Amino acid sequence: MNENELVRRLVSIGWRGSRAVRLGPGDDAAFLRGGMVISTDLAVEGVHFRLDWISPEEAGFRAGAAALSDLAAMGAAPEALLVSLAVRGEPSLALELQRGVRAAGDRVGVAIVGGDVSRSPGPAVLDVVAVGRARTVTVRGGAEVGQGVWVSGALGGAAAAVRAWEAGTEPDPRARERFVAPPDRVTLGVALADAGVARAMIDISDGLVADARRVADASRVMIRLDAGAIPVDDGAGDLNLALEGGEDYELMFTAPAGAGSRIRALGQEMAVALTRIGRVDEGEGVVLEDSLGRVRAPGRGGYDHFATPDPGGAS
Amino acid sequence: MNENELVRRLVSIGWRGSRAVRLGPGDDAAFLRGGMVISTDLAVEGVHFRLDWISPEEAGFRAGAAALSDLAAMGAAPEALLVSLAVRGEPSLALELQRGVRAAGDRVGVAIVGGDVSRSPGPAVLDVVAVGRARTVTVRGGAEVGQGVWVSGALGGAAAAVRAWEAGTEPDPRARERFVAPPDRVTLGVALADAGVARAMIDISDGLVADARRVADASRVMIRLDAGAIPVDDGAGDLNLALEGGEDYELMFTAPAGAGSRIRALGQEMAVALTRIGRVDEGEGVVLEDSLGRVRAPGRGGYDHFATPDPGGAS
């Protein structure tokens, strides 16, 4: 059972329909009656972060920023965070993690309004709940044939940092910064949604290809990515990391073919690079086109918590 | 640093005031603009439950019921749950935990609208987010001198089950049932709040004395408990377990002195025993009176995740 299949099964166990819910599970966040948008995001020591790589405060900041990124992807304005913390014996670790989440909340002007804390006999675990508000939300299923595919910022930096740490070296400082301080795309996500420009939107947490595939699946379309157009982070310098690395927390969205100038103007206004990286086509899944028009299906497509380990190391 | 002190520090790090928030951290749940009530509840394997004691589905049910109990204590009607799960390699454990939370949601008519899932290199961790709605909420700080102190149901059963397991024996089936299936007090909590009867309310998660002390502290009053009046669960048979055992998930509330007959009528209507167990007095903290009027301060007062282990075993 891979992670997507596990999530599908969890959703089918948990979901039963509800009049209190405008959009149930399966997107970046749930959308409740009254316009509340809510999402949870787990960060597990040894899986999402290691405390010999980054400080507890940096780990907290990442977790907070990742949770807020789900709201950005729905076009929802954040209102509050809640933080559940499980830590080994020493409670000071909980305080440092909390400080980091608070800093991520401060960046978008929201406080931590609740949470829970427990001893953990194992790794430190943070679960950050992000609560926001929206009139309408931008979902994964809104992509239509003919739309352009866009991405904010540049990709692959966070994954480059992880690769360096895993190889026992210190990452490029730019890559490290991308890992410890995911970008704040909340204002951008809300603006793209409110302007009606973004028709499908997702935040890139598991890698561009994996998250593009989620949009393609939810919209029943094919996404064609233009390999030469994908913005690769200076700290990464490797297209594969940009395609499959994950943890970028940039926004990928689709927009009507004629929306390019509005999108570029919005990007300039917000000082965020917005790049057209492909188009929506008939079909299914994600394909990658090179400059000669050659097409290939990309590799395994992102991080999978429950994948069977790849014995050969090649994918 | 004990758990109360840790929570105080976490709150002071995380909270900054917010116009989007009607009641911030420090109570059973936060109360947001628009009437949303939200709480999170952690359940950590090896701390809150053990899978050699109970099944994964039972552990999920407990975690879901515990989260919903926080809404009951605010007088809020539940609308949705979110569930974050971290499990060791085998994802089937996540499915069983989710089934249990779903069953707790079904009991009060709400679905699981979102969540997250991750591999854990250590114990299984569930964080259940309960989202509800209320016009006004019943907080811990509403107790006033002269009010009566009441409790729903009977106490000590869950703690008796834990004591049996820890001693290597099988618990009394009634005690076991109290541990695996905390009561649903949502309808009761909403009715007590809506009728204006409950002036301060809390759910008993860490033990009657510890949670009564939270109400006393928040209200700046003393709570006098009448030892002879406290309803001890048939499966417990030990007043100390009822006072300090915890995990009962019953409601303790204070009510005006003249409200007794209304409260008893409400209890009859809902088939829940509601017992007057004490009164609110001037002073601070919690004291216990026996039938001869002798007063003593109760012991350590409930479970503390971060307490220094008691070397002598006596407290």
Side-chain angles (χ1 to χ4, degrees), chain B residues 264-312:
Chain B
R264 289 195 184 84
L266 239 167
Q268 281 201 321
E269 191 186 313
M270 302 199 173
V272 181
L274 297 176
T275 311
R276 191 176 183 286
I277 58 168
R279 65 182 195 277
V280 182
D281 211 341
E282 284 180 26
E284 62 180 24
V286 176
V287 296
L288 197 65
E289 283 184 1
D290 69 14
S291 58
L292 301 172
R294 288 175 304 202
V295 170
R296 67 175 175 91
R300 69 183 171 89
Y303 186 73
D304 185 330
H305 280 118
F306 293 95
T308 312
D310 181 348

mmCIF file of all heavy atoms in Angstrom, chain B residues 264-312:
data_model
loop_
_atom_site.group_PDB
_atom_site.id
_atom_site.type_symbol
_atom_site.label_atom_id
_atom_site.label_comp_id
_atom_site.label_asym_id
_atom_site.label_seq_id
_atom_site.Cartn_x
_atom_site.Cartn_y
_atom_site.Cartn_z
ATOM 1 N N ARG B 264 -31.347 18.082 38.039
ATOM 2 C CA ARG B 264 -31.775 16.690 38.180
ATOM 3 C C ARG B 264 -32.753 16.313 37.076
ATOM 4 O O ARG B 264 -32.724 15.206 36.543
ATOM 5 C CB ARG B 264 -32.363 16.446 39.567
ATOM 6 C CG ARG B 264 -31.285 16.462 40.641
ATOM 7 C CD ARG B 264 -31.706 15.891 41.989
ATOM 8 N NE ARG B 264 -30.599 16.064 42.936
ATOM 9 C CZ ARG B 264 -30.374 17.198 43.626
ATOM 10 N NH1 ARG B 264 -31.190 18.233 43.503
ATOM 11 N NH2 ARG B 264 -29.328 17.280 44.437
ATOM 12 N N ALA B 265 -33.616 17.270 36.726
ATOM 13 C CA ALA B 265 -34.568 16.998 35.644
ATOM 14 C C ALA B 265 -33.837 16.772 34.323
ATOM 15 O O ALA B 265 -34.163 15.858 33.556
ATOM 16 C CB ALA B 265 -35.561 18.159 35.524
ATOM 17 N N LEU B 266 -32.827 17.606 34.069
ATOM 18 C CA LEU B 266 -32.032 17.446 32.854
ATOM 19 C C LEU B 266 -31.334 16.088 32.822
ATOM 20 O O LEU B 266 -31.294 15.403 31.794
ATOM 21 C CB LEU B 266 -30.970 18.551 32.806
ATOM 22 C CG LEU B 266 -30.972 19.482 31.609
ATOM 23 C CD1 LEU B 266 -30.083 20.689 31.876
ATOM 24 C CD2 LEU B 266 -30.521 18.746 30.368
ATOM 25 N N GLY B 267 -30.792 15.700 33.958
ATOM 26 C CA GLY B 267 -30.129 14.407 34.048
ATOM 27 C C GLY B 267 -31.083 13.254 33.768
ATOM 28 O O GLY B 267 -30.739 12.310 33.054
ATOM 29 N N GLN B 268 -32.291 13.366 34.330
ATOM 30 C CA GLN B 268 -33.287 12.309 34.093
ATOM 31 C C GLN B 268 -33.654 12.218 32.619
ATOM 32 O O GLN B 268 -33.705 11.141 32.033
ATOM 33 C CB GLN B 268 -34.538 12.585 34.919
ATOM 34 C CG GLN B 268 -34.362 12.178 36.381
ATOM 35 C CD GLN B 268 -35.687 11.965 37.076
ATOM 36 O OE1 GLN B 268 -36.635 12.707 36.847
ATOM 37 N NE2 GLN B 268 -35.757 10.954 37.939
ATOM 38 N N GLU B 269 -33.872 13.395 32.022
ATOM 39 C CA GLU B 269 -34.224 13.463 30.609
ATOM 40 C C GLU B 269 -33.155 12.780 29.748
ATOM 41 O O GLU B 269 -33.468 12.117 28.757
ATOM 42 C CB GLU B 269 -34.342 14.940 30.238
ATOM 43 C CG GLU B 269 -34.955 15.245 28.902
ATOM 44 C CD GLU B 269 -34.861 16.748 28.631
ATOM 45 O OE1 GLU B 269 -35.203 17.557 29.526
ATOM 46 O OE2 GLU B 269 -34.409 17.104 27.534
ATOM 47 N N MET B 270 -31.912 12.944 30.128
ATOM 48 C CA MET B 270 -30.807 12.406 29.327
ATOM 49 C C MET B 270 -30.275 11.088 29.866
ATOM 50 O O MET B 270 -29.272 10.582 29.346
ATOM 51 C CB MET B 270 -29.672 13.420 29.286
ATOM 52 C CG MET B 270 -30.146 14.724 28.709
ATOM 53 S SD MET B 270 -28.805 15.740 28.147
ATOM 54 C CE MET B 270 -29.798 17.032 27.372
ATOM 55 N N ALA B 271 -30.874 10.593 30.902
ATOM 56 C CA ALA B 271 -30.450 9.322 31.503
ATOM 57 C C ALA B 271 -28.972 9.353 31.901
ATOM 58 O O ALA B 271 -28.216 8.410 31.650
ATOM 59 C CB ALA B 271 -30.741 8.154 30.563
ATOM 60 N N VAL B 272 -28.557 10.476 32.480
ATOM 61 C CA VAL B 272 -27.188 10.611 32.991
ATOM 62 C C VAL B 272 -27.292 11.004 34.454
ATOM 63 O O VAL B 272 -28.007 11.953 34.799
ATOM 64 C CB VAL B 272 -26.412 11.721 32.250
ATOM 65 C CG1 VAL B 272 -24.981 11.817 32.790
ATOM 66 C CG2 VAL B 272 -26.405 11.482 30.757
ATOM 67 N N ALA B 273 -26.580 10.275 35.311
ATOM 68 C CA ALA B 273 -26.553 10.669 36.716
ATOM 69 C C ALA B 273 -25.800 11.990 36.854
ATOM 70 O O ALA B 273 -24.693 12.129 36.349
ATOM 71 C CB ALA B 273 -25.852 9.584 37.536
ATOM 72 N N LEU B 274 -26.432 12.962 37.511
ATOM 73 C CA LEU B 274 -25.765 14.235 37.800
ATOM 74 C C LEU B 274 -25.773 14.406 39.305
ATOM 75 O O LEU B 274 -26.834 14.410 39.936
ATOM 76 C CB LEU B 274 -26.506 15.398 37.116
ATOM 77 C CG LEU B 274 -26.526 15.337 35.580
ATOM 78 C CD1 LEU B 274 -27.363 16.477 35.008
ATOM 79 C CD2 LEU B 274 -25.113 15.384 35.016
ATOM 80 N N THR B 275 -24.586 14.506 39.886
ATOM 81 C CA THR B 275 -24.448 14.467 41.336
ATOM 82 C C THR B 275 -23.783 15.743 41.844
ATOM 83 O O THR B 275 -22.764 16.169 41.303
ATOM 84 C CB THR B 275 -23.575 13.260 41.748
ATOM 85 O OG1 THR B 275 -24.059 12.089 41.089
ATOM 86 C CG2 THR B 275 -23.599 13.063 43.259
ATOM 87 N N ARG B 276 -24.373 16.295 42.892
ATOM 88 C CA ARG B 276 -23.749 17.457 43.521
ATOM 89 C C ARG B 276 -22.643 16.963 44.432
ATOM 90 O O ARG B 276 -22.883 16.170 45.346
ATOM 91 C CB ARG B 276 -24.798 18.242 44.317
ATOM 92 C CG ARG B 276 -24.340 19.607 44.789
ATOM 93 C CD ARG B 276 -25.479 20.343 45.491
ATOM 94 N NE ARG B 276 -25.115 21.682 45.910
ATOM 95 C CZ ARG B 276 -24.312 21.971 46.944
ATOM 96 N NH1 ARG B 276 -23.801 21.003 47.676
ATOM 97 N NH2 ARG B 276 -24.038 23.223 47.255
ATOM 98 N N ILE B 277 -21.411 17.384 44.165
ATOM 99 C CA ILE B 277 -20.259 16.835 44.894
ATOM 100 C C ILE B 277 -19.526 17.892 45.713
ATOM 101 O O ILE B 277 -18.481 17.593 46.285
ATOM 102 C CB ILE B 277 -19.248 16.171 43.935
ATOM 103 C CG1 ILE B 277 -18.766 17.183 42.879
ATOM 104 C CG2 ILE B 277 -19.871 14.939 43.263
ATOM 105 C CD1 ILE B 277 -17.562 16.694 42.083
ATOM 106 N N GLY B 278 -20.055 19.100 45.762
ATOM 107 C CA GLY B 278 -19.351 20.091 46.556
ATOM 108 C C GLY B 278 -19.885 21.482 46.305
ATOM 109 O O GLY B 278 -20.968 21.647 45.741
ATOM 110 N N ARG B 279 -19.103 22.471 46.758
ATOM 111 C CA ARG B 279 -19.539 23.855 46.587
ATOM 112 C C ARG B 279 -18.335 24.766 46.352
ATOM 113 O O ARG B 279 -17.192 24.411 46.648
ATOM 114 C CB ARG B 279 -20.342 24.304 47.811
ATOM 115 C CG ARG B 279 -19.561 24.377 49.101
ATOM 116 C CD ARG B 279 -20.484 24.791 50.255
ATOM 117 N NE ARG B 279 -19.727 25.208 51.431
ATOM 118 C CZ ARG B 279 -19.236 24.369 52.337
ATOM 119 N NH1 ARG B 279 -19.388 23.068 52.211
ATOM 120 N NH2 ARG B 279 -18.558 24.845 53.377
ATOM 121 N N VAL B 280 -18.653 25.934 45.834
ATOM 122 C CA VAL B 280 -17.614 26.930 45.560
ATOM 123 C C VAL B 280 -17.546 27.875 46.751
ATOM 124 O O VAL B 280 -18.576 28.362 47.223
ATOM 125 C CB VAL B 280 -17.936 27.719 44.273
ATOM 126 C CG1 VAL B 280 -16.826 28.717 43.972
ATOM 127 C CG2 VAL B 280 -18.163 26.772 43.099
ATOM 128 N N ASP B 281 -16.329 28.103 47.223
ATOM 129 C CA ASP B 281 -16.143 28.911 48.422
ATOM 130 C C ASP B 281 -15.057 29.960 48.161
ATOM 131 O O ASP B 281 -14.364 29.902 47.141
ATOM 132 C CB ASP B 281 -15.716 27.984 49.574
ATOM 133 C CG ASP B 281 -16.195 28.490 50.937
ATOM 134 O OD1 ASP B 281 -16.528 29.687 51.046
ATOM 135 O OD2 ASP B 281 -16.226 27.670 51.872
ATOM 136 N N GLU B 282 -14.916 30.887 49.089
ATOM 137 C CA GLU B 282 -13.811 31.837 48.965
ATOM 138 C C GLU B 282 -12.503 31.119 49.252
ATOM 139 O O GLU B 282 -12.449 30.207 50.075
ATOM 140 C CB GLU B 282 -13.995 32.996 49.954
ATOM 141 C CG GLU B 282 -15.051 33.975 49.499
ATOM 142 C CD GLU B 282 -15.229 35.125 50.483
ATOM 143 O OE1 GLU B 282 -14.273 35.436 51.210
ATOM 144 O OE2 GLU B 282 -16.338 35.689 50.522
ATOM 145 N N GLY B 283 -11.447 31.557 48.597
ATOM 146 C CA GLY B 283 -10.151 30.945 48.835
ATOM 147 C C GLY B 283 -9.531 30.510 47.535
ATOM 148 O O GLY B 283 -9.817 31.069 46.473
ATOM 149 N N GLU B 284 -8.698 29.471 47.634
ATOM 150 C CA GLU B 284 -8.066 28.967 46.416
ATOM 151 C C GLU B 284 -7.841 27.469 46.512
ATOM 152 O O GLU B 284 -7.836 26.888 47.605
ATOM 153 C CB GLU B 284 -6.744 29.684 46.156
ATOM 154 C CG GLU B 284 -5.714 29.482 47.239
ATOM 155 C CD GLU B 284 -4.406 30.227 46.928
ATOM 156 O OE1 GLU B 284 -4.459 31.224 46.162
ATOM 157 O OE2 GLU B 284 -3.358 29.806 47.444
ATOM 158 N N GLY B 285 -7.699 26.831 45.395
ATOM 159 C CA GLY B 285 -7.384 25.409 45.343
ATOM 160 C C GLY B 285 -8.591 24.534 45.620
ATOM 161 O O GLY B 285 -9.745 24.967 45.546
ATOM 162 N N VAL B 286 -8.305 23.281 45.950
ATOM 163 C CA VAL B 286 -9.334 22.267 46.155
ATOM 164 C C VAL B 286 -9.126 21.646 47.530
ATOM 165 O O VAL B 286 -7.994 21.304 47.881
ATOM 166 C CB VAL B 286 -9.246 21.171 45.068
ATOM 167 C CG1 VAL B 286 -10.258 20.060 45.320
ATOM 168 C CG2 VAL B 286 -9.447 21.774 43.683
ATOM 169 N N VAL B 287 -10.199 21.543 48.306
ATOM 170 C CA VAL B 287 -10.108 20.791 49.556
ATOM 171 C C VAL B 287 -11.192 19.716 49.574
ATOM 172 O O VAL B 287 -12.209 19.820 48.888
ATOM 173 C CB VAL B 287 -10.243 21.680 50.811
ATOM 174 C CG1 VAL B 287 -9.095 22.674 50.892
ATOM 175 C CG2 VAL B 287 -11.587 22.371 50.840
ATOM 176 N N LEU B 288 -10.929 18.704 50.375
ATOM 177 C CA LEU B 288 -11.808 17.548 50.463
ATOM 178 C C LEU B 288 -12.347 17.478 51.890
ATOM 179 O O LEU B 288 -11.572 17.504 52.843
ATOM 180 C CB LEU B 288 -10.965 16.305 50.155
ATOM 181 C CG LEU B 288 -11.671 15.012 49.801
ATOM 182 C CD1 LEU B 288 -12.424 15.156 48.485
ATOM 183 C CD2 LEU B 288 -10.621 13.898 49.673
ATOM 184 N N GLU B 289 -13.675 17.398 52.027
ATOM 185 C CA GLU B 289 -14.288 17.305 53.351
ATOM 186 C C GLU B 289 -14.854 15.910 53.552
ATOM 187 O O GLU B 289 -15.549 15.396 52.669
ATOM 188 C CB GLU B 289 -15.449 18.307 53.482
ATOM 189 C CG GLU B 289 -15.005 19.729 53.713
ATOM 190 C CD GLU B 289 -16.195 20.659 53.939
ATOM 191 O OE1 GLU B 289 -17.354 20.177 53.936
ATOM 192 O OE2 GLU B 289 -15.953 21.848 54.100
ATOM 193 N N ASP B 290 -14.616 15.317 54.717
ATOM 194 C CA ASP B 290 -15.258 14.030 54.974
ATOM 195 C C ASP B 290 -16.570 14.248 55.707
ATOM 196 O O ASP B 290 -16.977 15.382 55.979
ATOM 197 C CB ASP B 290 -14.303 13.074 55.707
ATOM 198 C CG ASP B 290 -14.011 13.511 57.135
ATOM 199 O OD1 ASP B 290 -14.732 14.385 57.655
ATOM 200 O OD2 ASP B 290 -13.059 12.980 57.718
ATOM 201 N N SER B 291 -17.247 13.156 56.066
ATOM 202 C CA SER B 291 -18.598 13.262 56.612
ATOM 203 C C SER B 291 -18.606 13.929 57.984
ATOM 204 O O SER B 291 -19.639 14.404 58.440
ATOM 205 C CB SER B 291 -19.224 11.863 56.711
ATOM 206 O OG SER B 291 -18.399 11.040 57.527
ATOM 207 N N LEU B 292 -17.458 13.974 58.640
ATOM 208 C CA LEU B 292 -17.379 14.620 59.952
ATOM 209 C C LEU B 292 -16.965 16.086 59.821
ATOM 210 O O LEU B 292 -16.717 16.753 60.813
ATOM 211 C CB LEU B 292 -16.384 13.876 60.846
ATOM 212 C CG LEU B 292 -16.726 12.396 61.081
ATOM 213 C CD1 LEU B 292 -15.587 11.678 61.816
ATOM 214 C CD2 LEU B 292 -18.034 12.275 61.874
ATOM 215 N N GLY B 293 -16.848 16.546 58.584
ATOM 216 C CA GLY B 293 -16.483 17.930 58.384
ATOM 217 C C GLY B 293 -14.982 18.164 58.442
ATOM 218 O O GLY B 293 -14.516 19.291 58.372
ATOM 219 N N ARG B 294 -14.211 17.077 58.539
ATOM 220 C CA ARG B 294 -12.750 17.245 58.546
ATOM 221 C C ARG B 294 -12.270 17.542 57.129
ATOM 222 O O ARG B 294 -12.720 16.910 56.176
ATOM 223 C CB ARG B 294 -12.066 15.986 59.084
ATOM 224 C CG ARG B 294 -12.254 15.798 60.577
ATOM 225 C CD ARG B 294 -11.663 14.486 61.037
ATOM 226 N NE ARG B 294 -12.237 13.360 60.283
ATOM 227 C CZ ARG B 294 -12.248 12.101 60.727
ATOM 228 N NH1 ARG B 294 -11.732 11.798 61.895
ATOM 229 N NH2 ARG B 294 -12.782 11.146 60.004
ATOM 230 N N VAL B 295 -11.361 18.460 57.041
ATOM 231 C CA VAL B 295 -10.906 18.940 55.733
ATOM 232 C C VAL B 295 -9.468 18.519 55.495
ATOM 233 O O VAL B 295 -8.641 18.590 56.404
ATOM 234 C CB VAL B 295 -11.016 20.488 55.690
ATOM 235 C CG1 VAL B 295 -10.326 21.041 54.456
ATOM 236 C CG2 VAL B 295 -12.475 20.911 55.742
ATOM 237 N N ARG B 296 -9.154 18.063 54.295
ATOM 238 C CA ARG B 296 -7.747 17.872 53.948
ATOM 239 C C ARG B 296 -7.518 18.293 52.500
ATOM 240 O O ARG B 296 -8.441 18.283 51.686
ATOM 241 C CB ARG B 296 -7.301 16.421 54.162
ATOM 242 C CG ARG B 296 -7.939 15.407 53.226
ATOM 243 C CD ARG B 296 -7.321 14.018 53.473
ATOM 244 N NE ARG B 296 -8.004 12.986 52.673
ATOM 245 C CZ ARG B 296 -7.613 12.621 51.445
ATOM 246 N NH1 ARG B 296 -6.604 13.204 50.868
ATOM 247 N NH2 ARG B 296 -8.271 11.677 50.796
ATOM 248 N N ALA B 297 -6.301 18.674 52.231
ATOM 249 C CA ALA B 297 -5.926 18.966 50.848
ATOM 250 C C ALA B 297 -5.642 17.637 50.175
ATOM 251 O O ALA B 297 -4.914 16.811 50.717
ATOM 252 C CB ALA B 297 -4.698 19.854 50.814
ATOM 253 N N PRO B 298 -6.240 17.383 49.033
ATOM 254 C CA PRO B 298 -5.972 16.113 48.370
ATOM 255 C C PRO B 298 -4.543 16.037 47.871
ATOM 256 O O PRO B 298 -3.820 17.029 47.883
ATOM 257 C CB PRO B 298 -6.980 16.087 47.218
ATOM 258 C CG PRO B 298 -7.513 17.463 47.092
ATOM 259 C CD PRO B 298 -7.139 18.254 48.291
ATOM 260 N N GLY B 299 -4.161 14.860 47.450
ATOM 261 C CA GLY B 299 -2.766 14.544 47.088
ATOM 262 C C GLY B 299 -2.283 15.247 45.834
ATOM 263 O O GLY B 299 -2.681 16.374 45.542
ATOM 264 N N ARG B 300 -1.439 14.567 45.094
ATOM 265 C CA ARG B 300 -0.751 15.235 43.996
ATOM 266 C C ARG B 300 -1.737 15.720 42.947
ATOM 267 O O ARG B 300 -1.472 16.664 42.220
ATOM 268 C CB ARG B 300 0.305 14.305 43.383
ATOM 269 C CG ARG B 300 -0.283 13.123 42.640
ATOM 270 C CD ARG B 300 0.793 12.172 42.114
ATOM 271 N NE ARG B 300 0.168 10.955 41.592
ATOM 272 C CZ ARG B 300 -0.236 10.816 40.346
ATOM 273 N NH1 ARG B 300 -0.110 11.802 39.479
ATOM 274 N NH2 ARG B 300 -0.807 9.688 39.945
ATOM 275 N N GLY B 301 -2.892 15.054 42.859
ATOM 276 C CA GLY B 301 -3.934 15.627 42.035
ATOM 277 C C GLY B 301 -3.829 15.336 40.573
ATOM 278 O O GLY B 301 -3.789 16.245 39.753
ATOM 279 N N GLY B 302 -3.769 14.072 40.228
ATOM 280 C CA GLY B 302 -3.946 13.728 38.828
ATOM 281 C C GLY B 302 -2.658 13.448 38.100
ATOM 282 O O GLY B 302 -1.560 13.619 38.621
ATOM 283 N N TYR B 303 -2.830 13.020 36.880
ATOM 284 C CA TYR B 303 -1.713 12.587 36.061
ATOM 285 C C TYR B 303 -0.966 13.787 35.524
ATOM 286 O O TYR B 303 -1.556 14.754 35.053
ATOM 287 C CB TYR B 303 -2.215 11.735 34.898
ATOM 288 C CG TYR B 303 -1.086 11.159 34.115
ATOM 289 C CD1 TYR B 303 -0.321 10.117 34.649
ATOM 290 C CD2 TYR B 303 -0.731 11.685 32.887
ATOM 291 C CE1 TYR B 303 0.747 9.602 33.952
ATOM 292 C CE2 TYR B 303 0.340 11.177 32.186
ATOM 293 C CZ TYR B 303 1.081 10.134 32.718
ATOM 294 O OH TYR B 303 2.135 9.643 32.031
ATOM 295 N N ASP B 304 0.341 13.737 35.603
ATOM 296 C CA ASP B 304 1.180 14.824 35.096
ATOM 297 C C ASP B 304 2.208 14.220 34.158
ATOM 298 O O ASP B 304 3.064 13.454 34.576
ATOM 299 C CB ASP B 304 1.861 15.519 36.274
ATOM 300 C CG ASP B 304 2.655 16.738 35.833
ATOM 301 O OD1 ASP B 304 3.163 16.746 34.690
ATOM 302 O OD2 ASP B 304 2.768 17.676 36.623
ATOM 303 N N HIS B 305 2.106 14.575 32.857
ATOM 304 C CA HIS B 305 3.028 14.006 31.875
ATOM 305 C C HIS B 305 4.478 14.329 32.158
ATOM 306 O O HIS B 305 5.377 13.641 31.712
ATOM 307 C CB HIS B 305 2.712 14.545 30.474
ATOM 308 C CG HIS B 305 1.569 13.855 29.839
ATOM 309 N ND1 HIS B 305 0.411 14.503 29.479
ATOM 310 C CD2 HIS B 305 1.388 12.566 29.501
ATOM 311 C CE1 HIS B 305 -0.422 13.635 28.938
ATOM 312 N NE2 HIS B 305 0.139 12.467 28.942
ATOM 313 N N PHE B 306 4.717 15.450 32.849
ATOM 314 C CA PHE B 306 6.089 15.905 33.000
ATOM 315 C C PHE B 306 6.526 15.983 34.459
ATOM 316 O O PHE B 306 7.480 16.643 34.789
ATOM 317 C CB PHE B 306 6.272 17.246 32.280
ATOM 318 C CG PHE B 306 6.132 17.095 30.801
ATOM 319 C CD1 PHE B 306 4.913 17.334 30.174
ATOM 320 C CD2 PHE B 306 7.206 16.653 30.041
ATOM 321 C CE1 PHE B 306 4.783 17.153 28.804
ATOM 322 C CE2 PHE B 306 7.085 16.479 28.676
ATOM 323 C CZ PHE B 306 5.868 16.731 28.053
ATOM 324 N N ALA B 307 5.772 15.289 35.335
ATOM 325 C CA ALA B 307 6.145 15.284 36.740
ATOM 326 C C ALA B 307 7.463 14.539 36.926
ATOM 327 O O ALA B 307 7.779 13.598 36.206
ATOM 328 C CB ALA B 307 5.054 14.606 37.559
ATOM 329 N N THR B 308 8.237 14.972 37.921
ATOM 330 C CA THR B 308 9.406 14.200 38.320
ATOM 331 C C THR B 308 8.908 12.911 38.966
ATOM 332 O O THR B 308 8.009 12.954 39.801
ATOM 333 C CB THR B 308 10.225 15.005 39.349
ATOM 334 O OG1 THR B 308 10.375 16.324 38.837
ATOM 335 C CG2 THR B 308 11.574 14.381 39.588
ATOM 336 N N PRO B 309 9.452 11.761 38.583
ATOM 337 C CA PRO B 309 8.972 10.522 39.196
ATOM 338 C C PRO B 309 9.098 10.579 40.715
ATOM 339 O O PRO B 309 10.071 11.113 41.248
ATOM 340 C CB PRO B 309 9.921 9.465 38.607
ATOM 341 C CG PRO B 309 10.450 10.064 37.349
ATOM 342 C CD PRO B 309 10.498 11.548 37.585
ATOM 343 N N ASP B 310 8.086 10.029 41.384
ATOM 344 C CA ASP B 310 8.024 10.053 42.842
ATOM 345 C C ASP B 310 8.824 8.863 43.352
ATOM 346 O O ASP B 310 8.401 7.723 43.240
ATOM 347 C CB ASP B 310 6.555 9.934 43.235
ATOM 348 C CG ASP B 310 6.364 9.980 44.737
ATOM 349 O OD1 ASP B 310 7.378 9.865 45.454
ATOM 350 O OD2 ASP B 310 5.210 10.122 45.151
ATOM 351 N N PRO B 311 10.012 9.100 43.930
ATOM 352 C CA PRO B 311 10.884 7.963 44.258
ATOM 353 C C PRO B 311 10.303 7.054 45.326
ATOM 354 O O PRO B 311 10.514 5.850 45.311
ATOM 355 C CB PRO B 311 12.178 8.637 44.723
ATOM 356 C CG PRO B 311 11.787 10.033 45.122
ATOM 357 C CD PRO B 311 10.583 10.391 44.320
ATOM 358 N N GLY B 312 9.548 7.632 46.267
ATOM 359 C CA GLY B 312 9.029 6.806 47.349
ATOM 360 C C GLY B 312 7.738 6.089 47.009
ATOM 361 O O GLY B 312 7.293 5.219 47.731
#
